[in-house]
């Protein structure tokens, strides 16, 4: 699976995060990029990834158990500022 930062931005906007954060803070958050958000263990990024692979959560907080189960199936993850590629087994 491959995603661009524009996919993540659209997903966040659909959920109103641009309004909650304010446009300036929203842009700062996105400017961090995928690699930094992955390193910071961003709940929003993990929720986006889970949503893209078809796993629905009750809210944007991803339970540790669910993270662990996904991690067990992770074959490869490659992240740059603007792109993220995930391969599951």
């Amino acid at each position: 699976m491959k995603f661009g930062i524009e996919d993540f931005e659209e997903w966040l906007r659909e959920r109103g995060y641009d309004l909650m954060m304010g446009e300036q803070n929203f842009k700062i958050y996105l400017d961090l990029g995928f690699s930094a958000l992955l390193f910071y263990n961003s709940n929003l990024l993990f929720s986006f990834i889970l949503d893209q692979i078809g796993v629905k959560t009750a809210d944007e907080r991803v339970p540790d158990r669910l993270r662990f189960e996904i991690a067990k199936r992770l074959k490869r993850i490659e992240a740059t500022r603007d792109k993220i590629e995930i391969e599951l087994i």
Side-chain angles (χ1 to χ4, degrees):
M1 295 171 287
K2 295 179 186 181
F3 307 106
I5 199 73
E6 62 280 350
D7 301 317
F8 186 44
E9 179 179 357
E10 180 182 334
W11 185 86
L12 290 168
R13 286 188 187 278
E14 287 172 357
R15 285 153 182 78
Y17 283 100
D18 56 328
L19 301 175
M20 285 186 261
M21 294 178 184
E23 193 63 31
Q24 184 177 5
N25 290 331
F26 184 70
K27 288 292 184 189
I28 291 169
Y29 178 77
L30 287 173
D31 284 344
L32 289 172
F34 283 129
S35 52
L37 293 172
L38 190 63
F39 183 76
Y40 293 139
N41 203 22
S42 167
N43 271 321
L44 289 175
L45 178 56
F46 280 101
S47 291
F48 167 73
I49 292 168
L50 291 175
D51 188 58
Q52 299 307 304
I53 64 175
V55 176
K56 302 295 181 198
T57 57
D59 58 23
E60 265 43 76
R61 299 196 65 52
V62 181
D64 289 338
R65 189 183 99 261
L66 186 54
R67 286 179 192 247
F68 180 72
E69 290 301 319
I70 297 294
K72 289 191 319 189
R73 292 167 177 78
L74 187 63
K75 181 176 181 181
R76 184 178 68 84
I77 189 164
E78 185 177 321
T80 65
R81 184 182 169 280
D82 297 321
K83 302 279 183 205
I84 191 166
E85 187 172 341
I86 301 163
E87 189 175 342
L88 300 173
I89 54 173

